Amino acid sequence: MATELAGEKPDRTDATSSDELVRSGDAKHPANLICELCRKFYNWGWVTGTGGGTSIRHGDHIFIAPSGVQKEMMQPADMFVMDCHTREYLRKPLELKPSACTPLFLAAYDQGAGCCIHTHSQWAVLVTLLVERDLGKDACFEIECIEQIKGVPKGKGKQGNLGYFDRLRIPIIENTAHEEDLRETLEAAIQEYPDTYAILVRRHGIYVWGDSVQKAKTLCESLDYIFQLAVEMRKQQLLWAKPRTLWGKLGVWLENMSTSLPSGYHAQLYP
């Protein structure tokens, strides 16, 4: 018997029933749309080697891509469907595994999300490593004065997006051996950063959600652009954000003078 993932309830349906939930000629139907999105994400290098996942909430139903499948080759019949209120499966394909991301998707839906995307973007992974090296494990990713920041929402319940001069903050949590075990730390990060619509997972990837499919996809694209830019900025020894302490400004001056940096100065750059 398969192990029940955290946050899920046992299914009350046989594996091949309720096929009508995933059959539609409408390209925007969640079962069709997840397949189309994952083909795009594969081409962008986000879901290589069966990694990553995507889920859409539509009405009273949650549609979830399965685990362990080549995301670029998925078909609507591969989708799992869950009741968004009871969290019981309404449809479970016989030969496929429920997504290991499911508890994390459900945590996003608890925040009112309409879509959640999980990628294994290399840029997201590299950013988590750079933050750990330069600022420590407890630091989040921070950047400002980048035009693409305008693609990031201000926060839950707030109107509009961040501006050019705003500082973008994305929390980072540590990876675990099993994906479903990330839920507790992800929820804790959401509590600490209530305005966030994304959580980075160190050495793993990122979870991004939005009120709609369009908003989640737009945010995911914007963040991936920003992460790639941030990695390239580091190669040029450019800071992601302006130092806000005298100690941090001193460190930047010493770096510009090609002088050895005081131990631990990086931790003072982005308080």
Side-chain angles (χ1 to χ4, degrees), residues 6 103-104 107-108 111 137-138 170-194 196 198-202 204 207 209:
L104 293 305
Q111 300 299 309
K137 285 192 173 183
D138 294 333
I170 305 293
I172 303 172
I173 61 176
E174 296 301 324
N175 197 26
T176 56
H178 303 288
E179 189 120 14
E180 57 267 25
D181 294 336
L182 289 168
R183 177 166 184 164
E184 184 175 342
T185 51
L186 181 138
E187 290 178 329
I190 292 173
Q191 291 297 316
E192 185 175 355
Y193 295 86
T196 192
I199 302 287
L200 284 158
V201 184
R202 195 166 342 264
H204 183 152
Y207 280 85
W209 58 92

Side-chain angles (χ1 to χ4, degrees), residues 130-131 133-135 141-146 149 164 167-168 226-227 229-256 261 265-271:
L130 290 172
V131 170
R133 183 194 68 184
D134 295 343
L135 303 171
F141 169 75
E142 300 186 51
I143 195 167
E144 62 187 5
C145 296
I146 298 296
I149 290 174
Y164 173 76
R167 182 175 290 207
L168 169 64
I226 290 170
F227 296 151
L229 184 63
V231 172
E232 296 299 326
M233 288 173 69
R234 269 294 188 265
K235 292 180 182 178
Q236 303 300 323
Q237 298 183 342
L238 299 172
L239 292 176
W240 295 336
K242 298 175 183 178
R244 293 190 174 181
T245 67
L246 180 60
W247 182 240
K249 292 176 182 177
L250 174 62
V252 174
W253 179 79
L254 289 171
E255 189 170 272
N256 289 337
L261 297 175
Y265 103 90
H266 285 293
Q268 299 295 326
L269 288 182
Y270 315 122

Side-chain angles (χ1 to χ4, degrees), residues 61-131:
H61 298 148
I62 296 172
F63 295 78
I64 309 170
S67 269
V69 300
Q70 293 177 303
K71 298 298 190 293
E72 76 280 14
M73 300 181 68
M74 284 192 309
Q75 299 299 318
D78 298 332
M79 296 300 113
F80 286 74
V81 185
M82 181 181 287
D83 185 293
C84 69
H85 302 294
T86 66
R87 303 290 167 90
E88 295 178 355
Y89 282 109
L90 303 176
R91 185 177 191 278
K92 293 183 72 173
L94 270 175
E95 299 180 355
L96 298 175
K97 296 186 298 182
S99 175
C101 306
T102 299
L104 293 305
F105 292 153
L106 296 181
Y109 292 133
D110 287 341
Q111 300 299 309
C115 175
C116 188
I117 299 167
H118 171 47
T119 85
H120 287 184
S121 161
Q122 294 182 34
W123 303 115
V125 173
L126 282 169
V127 157
T128 69
L129 298 177
L130 290 172
V131 170

Side-chain angles (χ1 to χ4, degrees), residues 145-160:
C145 296
I146 298 296
E147 183 70 12
Q148 197 63 39
I149 290 174
K150 293 179 180 179
V152 180
K154 287 184 177 180
K156 185 178 179 180
K158 298 180 179 180
Q159 294 295 318

Side-chain angles (χ1 to χ4, degrees), residues 21-73:
L21 291 172
V22 297
R23 291 176 179 168
S24 175
D26 183 358
K28 294 184 179 180
H29 185 278
N32 297 327
L33 193 52
I34 287 175
C35 295
E36 177 63 22
L37 288 172
C38 283
R39 282 190 285 271
K40 292 181 183 295
F41 297 162
Y42 175 80
N43 290 333
W44 298 341
W46 288 1
V47 293
T48 304
T50 79
T54 302
S55 175
I56 296 173
R57 187 182 68 180
H58 181 71
D60 293 330
H61 298 148
I62 296 172
F63 295 78
I64 309 170
S67 269
V69 300
Q70 293 177 303
K71 298 298 190 293
E72 76 280 14
M73 300 181 68

